[in-house]
Amino acid sequence: MRMTLNGQTTDIDVDAGKPLLWVLRDDLGLVGTKYGCGQALCGACTVLIDGQPARACQTTIADAEGRSIVTIEGVSGKVAEVVQTTWTRLDVPQCGYCQSGQVVATIALLTANRKPTDTDIDDALSGNLCRCSTYHRIRAAVHEAAKLLEA
C-alpha cells in the first residue's frame, strides 16, 4: 500500500483491511492519533484524508491507498500554527485526550471557513467528543484563531 503521509510518500505492507488508526500507531509509531471508541463516534482518531476530517479507526489502509493523510504530527502551515498557538494560549485542554482530533478537525474547518459561526463550529466538531466538556473553551479558541487568521 502506498499513500502520502504527512507529506512523505509512504509504503506499508499490511493486511488491506487493517484500520488506518492501527497502522499509524502500531506500524508507523505515530501515536498522536488516539483510539477512543473504535466506532467513529468520538473523534479521537480524526485525521485529514485529502484535506477532509476522517475517522482513522473506521478507515482501512486500503481506503487510504493513494491518498494524502495528515495526522496531528504532520499538521503544518499558517492555519495549523494559529490553531495550535491559540489552543495553548487559551489553555483549551483539560485531560487532553481528545485534543489531537479536535485540533485536526478545527484546522479543516478554518481552512474551509475563515469566519465560522457557533453553528458552523458545532457542526464541524460535533463528531469530536470531549469527556471533560471543555466545549466552551474549544469554541472560544476556534473564534480566536479565526480572528487571528483575518489579520
Side-chain angles (χ1 to χ4, degrees), residues 4 7 12 14 17 34 41-43 54 79 99 115 118 120 125 132 136 138 149 151:
T4 302
I12 186 99
V14 296
K34 304 297 183 200
L41 300 172
C42 73
V79 174
Q99 294 305 304
K115 294 183 180 184
D118 284 346
D120 295 332
L125 301 180
C132 302
H136 62 287
I138 292 167
L149 287 166

Side-chain angles (χ1 to χ4, degrees), residues 109 116-128 135 139:
L109 168 64
T117 64
D118 284 346
T119 300
D120 295 332
I121 295 166
D122 292 347
D123 289 346
L125 301 180
S126 66
N128 292 76
Y135 298 112
R139 186 185 289 159

Side-chain angles (χ1 to χ4, degrees), residues 27-104:
D27 298 313
L28 301 172
L30 298 172
V31 296
T33 304
K34 304 297 183 200
Y35 173 79
C37 67
Q39 298 176 14
L41 300 172
C42 73
C45 66
T46 302
V47 297
L48 298 178
I49 299 179
D50 295 334
Q52 297 301 309
R55 304 301 186 250
C57 71
Q58 292 295 304
T59 303
T60 65
I61 192 66
D63 292 334
E65 185 172 20
R67 301 179 78 185
S68 174
I69 312 298
V70 178
T71 68
I72 190 68
E73 292 93 345
V75 297
S76 62
K78 183 173 177 68
V79 174
E81 290 170 15
V82 168
V83 169
Q84 290 174 316
T85 299
T86 303
W87 237 250
T88 301
R89 191 166 44 80
L90 296 182
D91 198 24
V92 173
Q94 187 165 316
C95 83
Y97 198 81
C98 70
Q99 294 305 304
S100 61
Q102 300 279 4
V103 167
V104 168

